[in-house]
Amino acid sequence: MQLVNAGQATRRAPVAVTGLGLVTPAGVGQAAAWEGLCAGTSTATADPGLDGLPVAFSCQVPDLDAPRLLGHRLSRRLDRFTTFALLAAREAVADAGLTPGDWDGPRIGIVMGVGTGSMQGWQAEFDRLAARVPDRVSPLALPRSVPNMAAAEIALDLGATGPNLVVSTACASGTSAIGLARELLLSGACDLVLAGGSESARLPMTAACFAQMRALSRRADAPHEASRPFDRDRDGFVLGEGAAVLVLERTADARARAARPTALVAGYGASCDAHHFTSPHPGGDGAARAIRSALLDAGLAPEDVDHVNAHGTSTPQGDLAEHNALHQVFHRPPPVTAVKGTIGHAIGGAGAIEAACTALTLRHQLIPPTANLHTQDPAIDLDVVAKSPRPTPMRAAISSSFGFGGQNAVLALTAAE
């Protein structure tokens, strides 16, 4: 069957990023996180919570005193991924100069990306079931762990009563959420959307599963050297955690309230490899389709793109497939960075953190370095920024995310006027 106008689209309006909130292993809060990302030093270290497992190190959010920040009662109810989401949302709203009590709640949407939710407290509950004492299972176990609570708890906290949902597209979830949020704005369904992603991947079951799949780096003698995107000696990714939330508005609405955008989300593209349940298409075909779709949506040509914030997980297959995708789209790919070298892989939170980083890159006209790139893989012909931040004039950049199931999601961002 031949579809009419298949593969064609018209440029649509960008939306403004008017607020950012970040919770990352490189720092908590936008300023601290940006400083940590620009330092380009890995945050991976031994993780006592993973003791006894084949891989017992991770990138961890530092010094997070949830009871002090959220109060004892609320912090007790929330799992770690929801805590991150709520803190990032509060910062994003404040950064946007908004007061929740003053907004029209039904016109405020929330879209969050979460890969799996959380198994943070489930081991104790399974132990109680095994001991045949089901009456001792916590009534909070389910509502604190299901994925939708990342969005629901933000709504409860801020009084946002519009569309409220969580997107789960594996490691592309945070990017997918931002793309869907843009659709809610352009369709007129919402006037403002808080969008992002959140996850804590440094949990025993998560670590055991990924280790069994041979996806994690085994560099236990030097965890800080383990996550090395595009490096010749990469051997897998490092578990991470964190969240990012972006406040998105139509550009006219942002202008009307004199908000100064950090950047604009100009385009979004998504695709599925339909190739393998965990491995990417080796040629990067699905990823390339998503990149082209994002550029088409934004009205950009490949030569208009000045920077790529790569998915760059540090896996042998994944990094090579991404290289191949970039060479399908670009005659000569622009400068690339991969922040997972610094903060590890936050799964559902990764794409949102990287989109926020891309927005800040455009604001500051500065590309953060890729940590641990000592000897670039000779099979990877990319200009990877390493060692130190690189000042670069930039008008447009893409932020790419790829996940299990062949999920691909790409955002095209442009500098704010």
Side-chain angles (χ1 to χ4, degrees):
M1 178 177 67
Q2 181 67 38
L3 299 178
V4 177
N5 295 325
Q8 297 182 7
T10 57
R11 179 182 181 181
R12 297 183 302 156
V15 299
V17 180
T18 56
L20 285 177
L22 280 161
V23 176
T24 78
V28 177
Q30 182 187 138
W34 176 247
E35 182 180 356
L37 290 169
C38 285
T41 302
S42 173
T43 58
T45 187
D47 189 336
L50 304 179
D51 280 351
L53 295 177
V55 176
F57 58 89
S58 69
C59 294
Q60 303 149 46
V61 170
D63 305 322
L64 190 70
D65 187 349
R68 178 181 64 81
L69 295 169
L70 298 176
H72 285 275
R73 185 173 182 179
L74 178 57
S75 65
R76 179 176 175 271
R77 189 176 81 216
L78 304 182
D79 262 17
R80 199 164 172 85
F81 81 107
T82 320
T83 297
F84 295 157
L86 186 50
L87 291 173
R90 286 183 177 182
E91 183 189 18
V93 168
D95 185 47
L98 296 167
T99 303
D102 295 339
W103 64 25
D104 183 7
R107 300 292 299 168
I108 311 300
I110 298 172
V111 186
M112 293 295 290
V114 178
T116 61
S118 178
M119 293 176 280
Q120 181 181 332
W122 279 99
Q123 186 58 56
E125 310 306 335
F126 282 125
D127 289 347
R128 291 178 182 119
L129 280 181
R132 299 185 181 277
V133 284
D135 55 321
R136 293 181 57 197
V137 170
S138 171
L140 294 176
L142 188 64
R144 69 156 56 112
S145 61
V146 291
N148 78 292
M149 297 310 290
E153 290 287 359
I154 294 172
L156 284 166
D157 191 67
L158 300 177
T161 56
N164 186 281
L165 61 152
V166 157
V167 179
S168 185
T169 53
C171 304
S173 298
T175 303
S176 300
I178 295 167
L180 180 56
R182 177 169 171 265
E183 298 298 326
L184 289 174
L185 288 168
L186 295 182
S187 73
C190 295
D191 294 330
L192 184 145
V193 183
L194 276 64
S198 184
E199 196 103 63
S200 181
R202 39 175 291 265
L203 301 170
M205 182 57 76
T206 307
C209 288
F210 278 127
Q212 286 294 96
M213 296 174 70
R214 303 293 178 186
L216 299 181
S217 171
R218 299 294 181 112
R219 210 177 296 270
D221 56 334
H224 62 287
E225 293 279 347
S227 183
R228 44 177 65 205
F230 305 120
D231 191 82
R232 179 191 62 192
D233 299 320
R234 67 192 184 278
D235 68 332
F237 69 83
V238 174
L239 293 168
E241 60 181 358
V245 172
L246 286 64
V247 174
L248 302 177
E249 305 176 61
R250 288 181 289 271
T251 52
D253 294 341
R255 193 179 306 116
R257 68 179 190 88
R260 178 175 175 264
T262 302
L264 305 178
V265 178
Y268 170 65
S271 70
C272 182
D273 288 354
H275 166 73
H276 188 269
F277 62 100
T278 56
S279 297
H281 188 284
D285 292 4
R289 283 196 301 275
I291 295 170
R292 290 192 186 100
S293 294
L295 296 182
L296 188 64
D297 191 29
L300 296 171
E303 55 268 24
D304 295 326
V305 177
D306 303 304
H307 168 54
V308 174
N309 190 304
H311 186 57
T313 57
S314 184
T315 61
Q317 282 183 306
D319 287 6
L320 187 58
E322 186 165 11
H323 159 270
N324 294 339
L326 292 174
H327 276 273
Q328 282 198 44
V329 177
F330 300 98
H331 173 68
R332 176 64 187 168
V336 171
T337 195
V339 300
K340 290 183 180 73
T342 297
I343 60 174
H345 195 345
I347 312 299
I353 294 170
E354 288 153 18
C357 178
T358 306
L360 291 170
T361 295
L362 289 168
R363 172 194 274 180
H364 296 293
Q365 297 288 284
L366 186 69
I367 302 174
T370 303
N372 294 327
L373 185 62
H374 302 306
T375 304
Q376 189 163 319
D377 185 340
I380 292 180
D381 178 23
L382 295 173
D383 177 14
V384 183
V385 177
K387 309 302 181 186
S388 61
R390 182 188 297 180
T392 303
M394 291 172 280
R395 290 290 304 149
I398 62 170
S399 182
S400 302
S401 298
F402 316 119
F404 283 177
Q407 301 281 3
N408 306 299
V410 177
L411 296 167
L413 292 88
T414 57
E417 298 296 336

